Amino acid sequence: MSKHKDEHGGQYSHRPTWDEYFMLLAKLAATRSTCWSRPTGAVIVRDRQVLATGYNGSMPGVAHCLDEGRCYRRRMRVTEQDKYDACRAIHAEANAIAQAARSGVSLAGATVYTTLSPCLNCTKLMASGRIVRVVYEYEYESPDSTRDQAWLQAIKDAGIELQQLQLAPGTVRRAIDLLTSLTSLRRPLSVDGRPVRTPEEQ
């Protein structure tokens, strides 16, 4: 977490780390998700530059679960064990990798920021693309905990660095403030240039 230490800055003085910044972008990408069960977003980054983004949703030309009002896999009564044979959604990481491929962008040496730890299929795609690091917010959990742990181990076995990241409270507060207000509204400053605390910051 990065903070500029002054007595006037309040929440405006909180500056996210680079990892937090890109995780915020992944969370924002998740707002485009059309999955009822697990809205997920992903951002692929190298040298602090965004290469591609993605979110989970149905493949092109196929109806979205969000539009239909219910989960396709559950409507088809497909079991948890067989869900990857029936779910019509493309995962956020896979969509981001496909976006990079369509644009001819190499992902070698890149980091994936994702709101959910990757499944085995996405792990294989990332390893094939020579992605070297995954930063995730929430650890995938399902009725099959042994499988979930095997997926995490597969990422490590592929030589991909794995890190879980929870956003600092100050980062969340600042993001909410900027999202729920006019982001670039002029902030009051004193005659010597210091930020003036708003009533909410008193």
Side-chain angles (χ1 to χ4, degrees), residues 77-197:
R77 301 289 194 271
V78 176
T79 65
E80 172 75 19
Q81 290 74 21
D82 296 324
K83 66 181 180 179
Y84 287 105
D85 294 326
C87 179
R88 60 189 176 188
I90 302 172
H91 288 183
E93 305 94 316
N95 264 325
I97 291 169
Q99 182 189 86
R102 289 194 302 272
S103 302
V105 176
S106 170
L107 301 180
T111 295
V112 172
Y113 293 85
T114 177
T115 56
L116 183 66
S117 61
C119 72
L120 183 59
N121 288 332
C122 288
T123 295
K124 290 187 283 188
L125 288 173
M126 291 187 295
S128 181
R130 301 300 188 265
I131 287 167
V132 297
R133 182 172 178 242
V134 171
V135 180
Y136 68 95
E137 179 184 47
Y138 187 71
E139 190 167 300
Y140 195 104
E141 43 73 33
S142 74
D144 189 345
S145 60
T146 301
R147 181 196 64 185
D148 298 343
Q149 290 304 310
W151 286 355
L152 290 175
Q153 187 59 47
I155 296 175
K156 298 175 183 177
D157 291 344
I160 298 174
E161 180 186 345
L162 188 64
Q163 177 186 346
Q164 187 170 19
L165 173 68
Q166 298 290 325
L167 296 177
T171 297
V172 174
R173 285 194 299 271
R174 186 173 194 197
I176 291 173
D177 179 72
L178 293 175
L179 286 170
T180 56
S181 64
L182 297 173
T183 303
S184 297
L185 184 68
R186 188 185 301 277
R187 177 170 169 76
L189 301 176
S190 67
V191 292
D192 65 351
R194 294 178 180 272
V196 177
R197 283 186 180 275

Side-chain angles (χ1 to χ4, degrees), residues 70 148 202:
R70 57 179 173 169
D148 298 343
Q202 300 297 330

